[in-house]
Amino acid sequence: MADPAQTRPDEALCLHCGSRVPEGASSREFCCAGCEAVHGLLVSQGLTRYYQLTGGVTSPAAEPARGRGLAWLEPLVTKAEAAPGALCSLELDVQGIHCAACVWLMNELFRRQPGGAGFTVDPALGKARMQWRRGAFDVAGFLRAVEGFGYLFGPSRKRPAPASLDLPIRLGICVALTMNVMLFSVSFYVGLTPEDGEVFGLFTRLSLWLSTVVVLVGGWPFFRSAWQGLRRGVPHLDLPIALGILLVFGTSLVQARGGRGDLAYFDTLNTFVTLMLVGRWLQQRVLERNRRFLLEDDGAEGLFVRRQEADQLVTVRVSQVEERDLLVIAPGDLVPVDAELLDARARVSTDWMTGEPDEREVLAGQPLPAGAFNAGREAVRALATQSFQDSPLVALLRRPPEGSGRSAGHTRFWESVSRRWVVTVLAVSALGLALWWPSGPDKALEVAVALLVVTCPCAIGIATPLAYELVQARLRREGFFIRATDLLDRLPRVRQVLFDKTGTLTLGRMELVDRSVVESLDDEARDVAFNLASRSNHPVSRCLAEALSRTGARFVPEARVIEHPGQGLEWMRDGVSWRLGRADWRAARGGEVSEVAGLAPLTTQSVSVAAGTTPAPASGGGARGTVLFRDNTPVTAFPLREALRPDARREVSALQAEGHAVWLISGDAPARVRELAGSLGVPEARALGGLRPEDKACTVSRLGSTDSLYLGDGVNDSLAFERALCAGTPAIDRPVMPGKSDFFLVGEGLASLREALRLSRELHQVVRRLLTLAIGYNVVAVAVCLVGWMTPLRAAVAMPATSLATVLFTVWSLSAPRAPRRDAAGLPRPTEVPA
């Protein structure tokens, strides 16, 4: 939701999620097409109670996936139907669950389907379990209905991470035991002494036993992490924490066995362990939520294809495809290997491989490239000409080893802090022990333990994880979801931002340059154009059909539309031939192309990405033209262009103004890439087109993999992802890429990317200030200990008090509402924070 304190009175808020509508968006009521589509479905199907359940707080909606295949579902349903019993059961993973309202929406859609017996959702893990009466429930139909709202389903692969259940359980145990130990300690502080006999001994023993459990249960994660760091030769931040726990517990144990439980630090020790566990839990909570938001992705193992075996059709993993296999590619399914088309024709989309939204016709005997999707409405047969092991997809789908392709430089700061902290704490404790040894071992040991207690790294163990959690939560509300644990440590080092073009800076779909062309049509031409466009799945047809439907165009069910591959669509209506297609279609049939509605003849090879509404002339790269003909006479032209993200120009300009070098790296034609760069204000020298996946990866390495952020949406960006310092994607409806990314975006705007860069720098400064405060506190605390003034009671007060102070400082620094700075146009822009 947009912060009211940061919203101008003239800014529109999205009706679905409440986010600010980006400047230049196609609708002033919605921030993105996903929110608009989901809102429309909720209203049309009477599901507006969803908004009451959200309480006005939700994230931008993902745009519903188009033509997504469900080949993976068939073997799962077959197995469920084969199980004994009257009811069938199936467990699936779900992508996109935000809150309880999402659970209600899915349950309501399930309730409306006949044959359903039960449906439960685990929103914390992102899983759904359904039951239905055998043969009476359409599982695929139900999933498509739910996916229409922007969710995605997949095979059940998500499992709770060990830390997900482990830390909350340990934390709960430690909180309960710590409260009891603190009650026992209060009795010592108010006057209970060894002279009180059995009661003093009982409270001492109880404190010892309960503290032992806290050390074993709560200290184990820190002991394990510290030991693993020592084995690798890297002193981890958990090392001083682990040493502090062990030494304080050991000294307190000696005091308790000597009958002086009132001199033990049991309450301080328990509080310290509990607070450290809280910090560890904060570190993991948001990241796990973001990871569970997506489907689990195993690369090629998560992709399926139908293979014909004799008279059987079997669904297999793409990794099992061999040369000469007969494949049946259903609508929305992937062609996993190079193959030869056996049917008369097929319409395929290669946007996953090339990043471009164009679809094309393939005729019988022609090759189907690996990575293409069936964009038609019917299944087609193809003969595999290679095994999957020889497919170009193998290299693009593979998962790199953990940590490969990422610079380790971001860890040096924390390694340095950890190493110095460990050395300093141990040195100061040894100094205190030496200085007070002449006064007796007991006093010397008390001073040394007090030093270990009061120098605890609270700023590192509590406030810093809280700072990270606050930043991640703020970014999540903006549609920026972090998956990598150390991404916020890497982002401040970014100096170069590399964009893929289609689907990244553009939206991967077409839009009308001038909507008045549609609005000026008479009723007959409008209805004819709509019936032609609505019967094709081509991106241009989808764009026109949507625009025409908004003007009230009527659908004619009995219309018989013929599609001419590479030309367009034709409908003979009452003896009149209506055509919708290429601007030069008439010339191909023997006529001359005339000017339409005052426009120069439009070509199909050029594309305009200008943000204005005035169509550019065809020469030099004008709008992509689609013309409506009536008996060979042009009626009107629909100038189209690739839809640019509404805030792309502003965000690219702002990134460059803040000192980032912006690059366009694309597999699209170099001329188109340069044209887009010119419209965005990117220097032509930084617009690189016509690049293969290997070329993109080499380009990232050449430009500098230690300071580059790469944003891409296709598997052709996969190799470049591995080379960049940070990599993200807006394409969460596609396989593989979200699982390889450090972050992903939801919504149509790019502002959250710049916000993430800004907040990461701000976080970096806050953490340094926390360390400065911690050092200042520890200097005072060490002085108090060295002069012998520190007691268990004072330590029990000082340690939680300083922890609370650092937490309050962190919350104030990162959560206080502030009016955004504005640029010359009055638009909010991130505060400039030095790296």
Side-chain angles (χ1 to χ4, degrees), residues 647-688:
D647 59 355
R649 176 176 287 102
R650 184 188 69 188
E651 293 304 313
V652 168
S653 298
L655 285 169
Q656 293 183 114
E658 292 172 5
H660 295 93
V662 176
W663 293 78
L664 269 62
I665 299 180
S666 176
D668 198 5
R672 291 188 183 181
V673 178
R674 288 193 296 269
E675 184 176 12
L676 175 60
S679 71
L680 295 176
V682 175
E684 184 175 316
R686 294 179 182 169
L688 309 178

Short mmCIF file of all heavy atoms in Angstrom, two decimals, residues 647-688:
data_model
loop_
_atom_site.label_atom_id
_atom_site.label_comp_id
_atom_site.label_asym_id
_atom_site.label_seq_id
_atom_site.Cartn_x
_atom_site.Cartn_y
_atom_site.Cartn_z
N ASP A 647 6.82 3.65 -16.30
CA ASP A 647 7.80 4.56 -15.69
C ASP A 647 9.22 4.29 -16.16
O ASP A 647 10.19 4.73 -15.54
CB ASP A 647 7.74 4.45 -14.16
CG ASP A 647 8.03 3.03 -13.67
OD1 ASP A 647 8.18 2.13 -14.53
OD2 ASP A 647 8.09 2.81 -12.45
N ALA A 648 9.35 3.57 -17.29
CA ALA A 648 10.69 3.17 -17.74
C ALA A 648 11.57 4.38 -18.04
O ALA A 648 12.74 4.43 -17.64
CB ALA A 648 10.58 2.27 -18.98
N ARG A 649 11.02 5.36 -18.77
CA ARG A 649 11.85 6.52 -19.14
C ARG A 649 12.31 7.26 -17.89
O ARG A 649 13.48 7.64 -17.76
CB ARG A 649 11.07 7.44 -20.06
CG ARG A 649 11.84 8.71 -20.41
CD ARG A 649 11.11 9.59 -21.41
NE ARG A 649 11.16 8.99 -22.74
CZ ARG A 649 10.14 8.32 -23.30
NH1 ARG A 649 9.02 8.17 -22.63
NH2 ARG A 649 10.25 7.80 -24.49
N ARG A 650 11.39 7.50 -16.95
CA ARG A 650 11.75 8.24 -15.75
C ARG A 650 12.78 7.49 -14.93
O ARG A 650 13.76 8.07 -14.44
CB ARG A 650 10.50 8.48 -14.91
CG ARG A 650 10.75 9.34 -13.68
CD ARG A 650 9.52 9.38 -12.78
NE ARG A 650 9.28 8.08 -12.16
CZ ARG A 650 8.20 7.79 -11.44
NH1 ARG A 650 7.24 8.69 -11.31
NH2 ARG A 650 8.06 6.60 -10.88
N GLU A 651 12.60 6.18 -14.77
CA GLU A 651 13.51 5.41 -13.93
C GLU A 651 14.89 5.27 -14.56
O GLU A 651 15.90 5.34 -13.87
CB GLU A 651 12.91 4.03 -13.65
CG GLU A 651 11.65 4.07 -12.79
CD GLU A 651 11.89 4.77 -11.47
OE1 GLU A 651 12.91 4.48 -10.81
OE2 GLU A 651 11.08 5.64 -11.10
N VAL A 652 14.93 5.07 -15.87
CA VAL A 652 16.23 4.98 -16.54
C VAL A 652 16.98 6.30 -16.43
O VAL A 652 18.19 6.35 -16.14
CB VAL A 652 16.04 4.56 -18.01
CG1 VAL A 652 17.34 4.75 -18.79
CG2 VAL A 652 15.59 3.11 -18.10
N SER A 653 16.26 7.41 -16.64
CA SER A 653 16.90 8.73 -16.51
C SER A 653 17.39 8.96 -15.08
O SER A 653 18.48 9.49 -14.86
CB SER A 653 15.91 9.83 -16.91
OG SER A 653 15.53 9.69 -18.26
N ALA A 654 16.58 8.56 -14.11
CA ALA A 654 16.96 8.76 -12.71
C ALA A 654 18.18 7.92 -12.35
O ALA A 654 19.07 8.37 -11.62
CB ALA A 654 15.79 8.43 -11.79
N LEU A 655 18.23 6.67 -12.84
CA LEU A 655 19.38 5.83 -12.57
C LEU A 655 20.66 6.46 -13.11
O LEU A 655 21.70 6.46 -12.45
CB LEU A 655 19.17 4.44 -13.19
CG LEU A 655 18.20 3.50 -12.47
CD1 LEU A 655 17.89 2.28 -13.33
CD2 LEU A 655 18.78 3.07 -11.12
N GLN A 656 20.58 7.01 -14.32
CA GLN A 656 21.76 7.64 -14.91
C GLN A 656 22.12 8.92 -14.16
O GLN A 656 23.31 9.21 -13.96
CB GLN A 656 21.50 7.94 -16.39
CG GLN A 656 21.35 6.67 -17.22
CD GLN A 656 21.18 6.95 -18.70
OE1 GLN A 656 22.02 6.63 -19.52
NE2 GLN A 656 20.06 7.55 -19.05
N ALA A 657 21.10 9.67 -13.71
CA ALA A 657 21.38 10.89 -12.96
C ALA A 657 22.05 10.58 -11.63
O ALA A 657 22.81 11.41 -11.11
CB ALA A 657 20.08 11.66 -12.73
N GLU A 658 21.79 9.41 -11.07
CA GLU A 658 22.38 9.03 -9.79
C GLU A 658 23.75 8.37 -9.96
O GLU A 658 24.32 7.87 -8.99
CB GLU A 658 21.44 8.09 -9.05
CG GLU A 658 20.15 8.78 -8.59
CD GLU A 658 19.13 7.80 -8.04
OE1 GLU A 658 19.47 6.60 -7.92
OE2 GLU A 658 18.02 8.23 -7.72
N GLY A 659 24.25 8.33 -11.19
CA GLY A 659 25.60 7.84 -11.41
C GLY A 659 25.71 6.42 -11.89
O GLY A 659 26.83 5.89 -12.00
N HIS A 660 24.59 5.77 -12.20
CA HIS A 660 24.65 4.41 -12.71
C HIS A 660 24.78 4.41 -14.23
O HIS A 660 24.12 5.19 -14.92
CB HIS A 660 23.38 3.63 -12.32
CG HIS A 660 23.23 3.43 -10.84
ND1 HIS A 660 22.51 4.29 -10.05
CD2 HIS A 660 23.70 2.46 -10.02
CE1 HIS A 660 22.54 3.87 -8.81
NE2 HIS A 660 23.26 2.77 -8.75
N ALA A 661 25.60 3.54 -14.74
CA ALA A 661 25.71 3.35 -16.18
C ALA A 661 24.64 2.36 -16.61
O ALA A 661 24.63 1.22 -16.16
CB ALA A 661 27.09 2.82 -16.56
N VAL A 662 23.70 2.80 -17.45
CA VAL A 662 22.59 1.96 -17.90
C VAL A 662 22.91 1.40 -19.27
O VAL A 662 23.29 2.15 -20.18
CB VAL A 662 21.27 2.75 -17.92
CG1 VAL A 662 20.14 1.90 -18.49
CG2 VAL A 662 20.91 3.23 -16.51
N TRP A 663 22.74 0.09 -19.41
CA TRP A 663 23.00 -0.60 -20.68
C TRP A 663 21.73 -1.34 -21.12
O TRP A 663 20.97 -1.81 -20.29
CB TRP A 663 24.12 -1.63 -20.52
CG TRP A 663 25.47 -1.04 -20.24
CD1 TRP A 663 25.92 -0.55 -19.06
CD2 TRP A 663 26.54 -0.89 -21.18
NE1 TRP A 663 27.22 -0.10 -19.18
CE2 TRP A 663 27.62 -0.29 -20.47
CE3 TRP A 663 26.70 -1.19 -22.53
CZ2 TRP A 663 28.83 -0.01 -21.09
CZ3 TRP A 663 27.91 -0.90 -23.15
CH2 TRP A 663 28.97 -0.32 -22.43
N LEU A 664 21.54 -1.43 -22.44
CA LEU A 664 20.51 -2.28 -23.03
C LEU A 664 21.22 -3.44 -23.72
O LEU A 664 22.04 -3.21 -24.63
CB LEU A 664 19.66 -1.51 -24.04
CG LEU A 664 18.40 -0.83 -23.50
CD1 LEU A 664 18.76 0.22 -22.47
CD2 LEU A 664 17.60 -0.21 -24.64
N ILE A 665 20.93 -4.65 -23.28
CA ILE A 665 21.59 -5.84 -23.83
C ILE A 665 20.48 -6.78 -24.27
O ILE A 665 19.75 -7.33 -23.44
CB ILE A 665 22.49 -6.50 -22.77
CG1 ILE A 665 23.58 -5.53 -22.35
CG2 ILE A 665 23.08 -7.78 -23.30
CD1 ILE A 665 24.52 -6.07 -21.31
N SER A 666 20.35 -6.99 -25.56
CA SER A 666 19.17 -7.69 -26.08
C SER A 666 19.52 -8.59 -27.25
O SER A 666 20.52 -8.38 -27.94
CB SER A 666 18.12 -6.66 -26.52
OG SER A 666 17.01 -7.28 -27.12
N GLY A 667 18.68 -9.59 -27.44
CA GLY A 667 18.79 -10.43 -28.62
C GLY A 667 18.00 -9.89 -29.79
O GLY A 667 18.03 -10.46 -30.88
N ASP A 668 17.28 -8.80 -29.58
CA ASP A 668 16.49 -8.19 -30.65
C ASP A 668 17.41 -7.52 -31.67
O ASP A 668 18.61 -7.33 -31.43
CB ASP A 668 15.53 -7.16 -30.03
CG ASP A 668 14.39 -6.80 -30.97
OD1 ASP A 668 14.30 -7.41 -32.05
OD2 ASP A 668 13.60 -5.90 -30.63
N ALA A 669 16.82 -7.13 -32.79
CA ALA A 669 17.60 -6.50 -33.85
C ALA A 669 18.30 -5.25 -33.33
O ALA A 669 17.70 -4.46 -32.60
CB ALA A 669 16.67 -6.15 -35.01
N PRO A 670 19.56 -5.03 -33.70
CA PRO A 670 20.30 -3.86 -33.20
C PRO A 670 19.59 -2.54 -33.46
O PRO A 670 19.64 -1.64 -32.62
CB PRO A 670 21.63 -3.95 -33.96
CG PRO A 670 21.80 -5.42 -34.23
CD PRO A 670 20.42 -5.93 -34.51
N ALA A 671 18.92 -2.42 -34.60
CA ALA A 671 18.24 -1.15 -34.91
C ALA A 671 17.13 -0.88 -33.90
O ALA A 671 16.94 0.27 -33.46
CB ALA A 671 17.67 -1.20 -36.33
N ARG A 672 16.36 -1.90 -33.54
CA ARG A 672 15.29 -1.70 -32.56
C ARG A 672 15.86 -1.34 -31.19
O ARG A 672 15.30 -0.51 -30.47
CB ARG A 672 14.44 -2.97 -32.45
CG ARG A 672 13.60 -3.27 -33.69
CD ARG A 672 12.67 -4.44 -33.39
NE ARG A 672 11.89 -4.81 -34.56
CZ ARG A 672 10.99 -5.79 -34.56
NH1 ARG A 672 10.77 -6.47 -33.44
NH2 ARG A 672 10.31 -6.08 -35.65
N VAL A 673 16.95 -2.00 -30.83
CA VAL A 673 17.56 -1.72 -29.53
C VAL A 673 18.07 -0.28 -29.48
O VAL A 673 17.87 0.43 -28.48
CB VAL A 673 18.70 -2.72 -29.25
CG1 VAL A 673 19.37 -2.41 -27.92
CG2 VAL A 673 18.17 -4.15 -29.24
N ARG A 674 18.71 0.17 -30.55
CA ARG A 674 19.20 1.55 -30.58
C ARG A 674 18.04 2.53 -30.54
O ARG A 674 18.14 3.60 -29.92
CB ARG A 674 20.06 1.76 -31.83
CG ARG A 674 21.42 1.07 -31.77
CD ARG A 674 22.33 1.59 -32.87
NE ARG A 674 21.81 1.28 -34.19
CZ ARG A 674 22.10 0.17 -34.88
NH1 ARG A 674 22.92 -0.73 -34.34
NH2 ARG A 674 21.60 -0.03 -36.07
N GLU A 675 16.94 2.20 -31.23
CA GLU A 675 15.79 3.10 -31.23
C GLU A 675 15.20 3.23 -29.83
O GLU A 675 14.87 4.34 -29.38
CB GLU A 675 14.73 2.56 -32.19
CG GLU A 675 13.53 3.49 -32.33
CD GLU A 675 12.53 2.97 -33.35
OE1 GLU A 675 12.66 1.81 -33.78
OE2 GLU A 675 11.61 3.73 -33.69
N LEU A 676 15.08 2.11 -29.13
CA LEU A 676 14.58 2.16 -27.76
C LEU A 676 15.53 2.95 -26.87
O LEU A 676 15.10 3.77 -26.04
CB LEU A 676 14.39 0.75 -27.22
CG LEU A 676 13.97 0.65 -25.74
CD1 LEU A 676 12.63 1.36 -25.52
CD2 LEU A 676 13.89 -0.80 -25.29
N ALA A 677 16.83 2.72 -27.04
CA ALA A 677 17.81 3.46 -26.23
C ALA A 677 17.68 4.95 -26.45
O ALA A 677 17.74 5.74 -25.50
CB ALA A 677 19.23 2.98 -26.57
N GLY A 678 17.48 5.36 -27.70
CA GLY A 678 17.33 6.77 -27.99
C GLY A 678 16.12 7.37 -27.31
O GLY A 678 16.16 8.50 -26.80
N SER A 679 15.00 6.62 -27.29
CA SER A 679 13.79 7.14 -26.66
C SER A 679 13.92 7.21 -25.15
O SER A 679 13.23 7.99 -24.50
CB SER A 679 12.58 6.27 -27.04
OG SER A 679 12.66 5.00 -26.42
N LEU A 680 14.81 6.39 -24.57
CA LEU A 680 15.00 6.39 -23.12
C LEU A 680 16.15 7.28 -22.67
O LEU A 680 16.36 7.44 -21.46
CB LEU A 680 15.27 4.95 -22.64
CG LEU A 680 14.13 3.95 -22.82
CD1 LEU A 680 14.60 2.56 -22.40
CD2 LEU A 680 12.91 4.35 -22.02
N GLY A 681 16.90 7.82 -23.61
CA GLY A 681 18.03 8.66 -23.24
C GLY A 681 19.28 7.88 -22.90
O GLY A 681 20.18 8.41 -22.24
N VAL A 682 19.37 6.65 -23.36
CA VAL A 682 20.56 5.83 -23.13
C VAL A 682 21.52 6.04 -24.31
O VAL A 682 21.09 5.98 -25.47
CB VAL A 682 20.20 4.33 -23.01
CG1 VAL A 682 21.45 3.48 -22.89
CG2 VAL A 682 19.28 4.11 -21.82
N PRO A 683 22.79 6.30 -24.05
CA PRO A 683 23.73 6.50 -25.15
C PRO A 683 23.74 5.31 -26.11
O PRO A 683 23.65 4.15 -25.69
CB PRO A 683 25.08 6.64 -24.44
CG PRO A 683 24.74 7.12 -23.07
CD PRO A 683 23.43 6.47 -22.73
N GLU A 684 23.85 5.60 -27.39
CA GLU A 684 23.81 4.55 -28.41
C GLU A 684 24.91 3.52 -28.20
O GLU A 684 24.73 2.34 -28.49
CB GLU A 684 23.91 5.18 -29.79
CG GLU A 684 23.78 4.18 -30.93
CD GLU A 684 23.76 4.86 -32.29
OE1 GLU A 684 23.06 5.89 -32.43
OE2 GLU A 684 24.45 4.36 -33.21
N ALA A 685 26.05 3.96 -27.68
CA ALA A 685 27.17 3.04 -27.46
C ALA A 685 26.83 1.98 -26.40
O ALA A 685 27.49 0.95 -26.33
CB ALA A 685 28.41 3.81 -27.05
N ARG A 686 25.82 2.25 -25.58
CA ARG A 686 25.43 1.29 -24.55
C ARG A 686 24.19 0.50 -24.93
O ARG A 686 23.56 -0.11 -24.07
CB ARG A 686 25.18 2.03 -23.23
CG ARG A 686 26.43 2.66 -22.64
CD ARG A 686 26.13 3.38 -21.35
NE ARG A 686 27.33 4.02 -20.81
CZ ARG A 686 27.31 4.89 -19.81
NH1 ARG A 686 26.15 5.24 -19.25
NH2 ARG A 686 28.43 5.44 -19.37
N ALA A 687 23.83 0.51 -26.20
CA ALA A 687 22.70 -0.27 -26.70
C ALA A 687 23.23 -1.38 -27.59
O ALA A 687 23.67 -1.13 -28.72
CB ALA A 687 21.74 0.63 -27.47
N LEU A 688 23.23 -2.59 -27.09
CA LEU A 688 23.80 -3.73 -27.80
C LEU A 688 22.69 -4.70 -28.17
O LEU A 688 21.98 -5.21 -27.30
CB LEU A 688 24.84 -4.43 -26.91
CG LEU A 688 25.92 -3.53 -26.29
CD1 LEU A 688 26.84 -4.34 -25.39
CD2 LEU A 688 26.71 -2.81 -27.37
#
